[in-house]
Amino acid sequence: MAEHPSFTLAGLLAVGGTAGYVRTRSTPSLVAGLGLGVSYAYAGYLIKGNKDYGTELALGNSIFLLGSAVPRVVKTKARAPVPIGLAAAGVLATLYYLKKVKEFRYGV
């Protein structure tokens, strides 16, 4: 069950990064979207196979997503929907995977 958010975010970020590149020719959008998408997909694969460090990788990806969205939200003064969506996804994913890491590590 914990792998579903990783696979969902992998697809959304890959599609979003590609769309950003097609629309504005933004190479950083393409690289970040595909790179983070692949990393989330790998985390989902690790989680699904019950292998080590899957949830930790997903948590790291989520923190990175949130950290990259916050400056864009500040820059646009929270008026652009894409940075707000990325920040919301980052917050939710970070909280979810933080909870999962605690559960797996401490049995809480």
Side-chain angles (χ1 to χ4, degrees):
M1 173 73 180
E3 71 272 7
H4 294 299
S6 285
F7 289 136
T8 302
L9 283 169
L12 289 174
L13 288 170
V15 168
T18 304
Y21 176 76
V22 168
R23 195 177 59 134
T24 63
R25 295 287 179 221
S26 171
T27 304
S29 290
L30 181 67
V31 171
L34 291 178
L36 205 52
V38 166
S39 187
Y40 263 119
Y42 184 62
Y45 165 78
L46 291 175
I47 294 167
K48 187 172 183 167
N50 203 23
K51 297 185 179 3
D52 292 336
Y53 303 113
T55 53
E56 289 85 354
L57 178 59
L59 177 60
N61 291 338
S62 302
I63 292 169
F64 184 78
L65 176 62
L66 177 60
S68 66
V70 168
R72 291 178 66 189
V73 169
V74 171
K75 182 181 174 184
T76 63
K77 297 180 182 163
R79 292 191 180 132
V82 172
I84 292 170
L86 288 173
V91 166
L92 293 173
T94 298
L95 293 174
Y96 178 77
Y97 281 113
L98 188 60
K99 178 180 179 287
K100 288 297 177 185
V101 166
K102 281 184 177 179
E103 285 176 4
F104 292 143
R105 243 190 221 163
Y106 305 113
V108 177

